[in-house]
Amino acid sequence: PVDLVFEISKDSARDDLLAAKTALTAERVDHVICPHPSPRSAWLVGQIKRTGEAVGYHEWWNAWAFTKRVKRLPHLPEALKQL
């Protein structure tokens, strides 16, 4: 079961991002799934203390942030890419 979900808009103010980071790093989580392939998202995932996997899209630069990286299939709609 999923206990907590954070959605952070690209248009969020810096204060919203810092508030989310504070909440996400305050305690240990089991798993992290990051459906956004950006350096800022990877940086945020890298800050989270976790006991399980961190899953994100495979990019040449983000091996340090994720324990499992999956290939992004650009021909699929975004909702199907995230399944």
Side-chain angles (χ1 to χ4, degrees):
V2 175
D3 296 327
L4 187 60
V5 173
F6 278 90
E7 181 179 352
I8 302 170
S9 169
K10 285 196 294 189
D11 300 325
S12 290
R14 183 171 173 80
D15 291 343
D16 291 345
L17 180 61
L18 291 175
K21 179 189 178 288
T22 300
L24 286 167
T25 58
E27 50 188 276
R28 198 170 288 278
V29 299
D30 293 329
H31 302 285
V32 177
I33 300 171
C34 181
H36 192 262
S38 75
R40 183 167 60 170
S41 296
W43 172 81
L44 185 57
V45 169
Q47 303 298 307
I48 299 171
K49 294 174 264 182
R50 60 188 178 276
T51 58
E53 288 187 319
V55 181
Y57 286 125
H58 186 279
E59 300 289 343
W60 64 268
W61 50 266
N62 68 0
W64 57 270
F66 300 106
T67 57
K68 182 175 182 182
R69 298 182 300 156
V70 296
K71 184 177 180 182
R72 189 167 194 221
L73 303 173
H75 64 280
L76 293 177
E78 194 61 36
L80 293 178
K81 288 180 202 174
Q82 296 179 17
L83 289 178

